[in-house]
């Protein structure tokens, strides 16, 4: 990823993917949805000037927006040049199906046999993260959510998702 050109950006916008459809369409596919964080919060990713323009337009409409501090525009078309080299680099690895239940952030549903392929892992670079669908799926059977890390980013997203159930 370090070999990719700079200039990408990501921003979180208090809007649903459906609400962002028109804005994304105006970028001719250059900006895409990077993550479904909560039912009402979506991350977009792509060229900096386009992401900034969309984010500023939503801020002017009174929606909360925040530019993310990232090195690249992950989960966007700007990642396309590394998908094949990444897939080739991990093709020689041995994959095993999980022995405990695992939710795929590519689908928000239980992982299937695709998780044991290099293509599945390459798609994590390019496709949106389905965080809130994953939380929604496991919430009925989960009593405690634990985030281990330096910032409570996912804890907050989990709380917002659970409040919509």
């Amino acid at each position: 990823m370090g070999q990719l050109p700079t200039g990408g950006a990501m921003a979180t916008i208090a809007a649903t993917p459906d609400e962002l459809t028109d804005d994304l369409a105006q970028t001719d596919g250059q900006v895409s949805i990077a993550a479904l964080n909560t039912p009402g919060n979506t991350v977009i990713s792509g060229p900096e000037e386009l992401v900034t323009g969309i984010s500023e337009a939503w801020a002017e409409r009174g929606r909360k927006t925040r530019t993310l501090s990232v090195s690249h525009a992950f989960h966007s078309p700007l990642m396309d040049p590394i998908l094949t080299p990444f897939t080739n680099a991990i093709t020689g690895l041995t994959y095993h199906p999980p022995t405990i239940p695992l939710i795929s952030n590519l689908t928000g549903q239980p992982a299937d046999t695709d998780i044991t392929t290099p293509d599945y892992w390459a798609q994590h670079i390019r496709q949106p993260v389905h965080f809130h669908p994953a939380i929604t799926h496991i919430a009925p059977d989960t009593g405690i959510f634990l985030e281990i890390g330096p910032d409570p980013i996912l804890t907050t997203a989990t709380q917002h998702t659970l409040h919509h159930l």
Side-chain angles (χ1 to χ4, degrees), residues 30-124:
Q30 294 182 71
V31 177
S32 59
I33 292 175
L36 308 171
N37 282 352
T38 72
N41 188 290
T42 305
V43 176
I44 61 170
S45 184
E48 184 173 6
E49 63 280 358
L50 295 174
V51 169
T52 299
I54 293 170
S55 185
E56 288 174 351
W58 279 91
E60 289 172 8
R61 296 176 194 154
R63 299 289 185 98
K64 184 177 179 181
T65 66
R66 184 170 56 91
T67 300
L68 303 180
S69 178
V70 295
S71 61
H72 292 85
F74 301 106
H75 309 287
S76 82
L78 294 177
M79 295 287 107
D80 289 350
I82 64 161
L83 295 180
T84 298
F86 180 81
T87 302
N88 292 341
I90 65 172
T91 295
L93 298 176
T94 302
Y95 299 88
H96 300 281
T99 57
I100 60 171
L102 180 68
I103 303 298
S104 168
N105 268 341
L106 284 178
T107 65
Q109 298 295 310
D112 59 19
T113 56
D114 287 345
I115 199 167
T116 62
T117 68
D119 288 332
Y120 173 89
W121 294 101
Q123 290 307 307
H124 269 276

Side-chain angles (χ1 to χ4, degrees), residues 128-147:
V129 175
H130 286 77
F131 184 76
H132 88 73
I135 295 299
T136 300
H137 181 81
I138 64 171
D141 301 315
T142 305
I144 296 174
F145 291 86
L146 175 65
E147 178 177 4

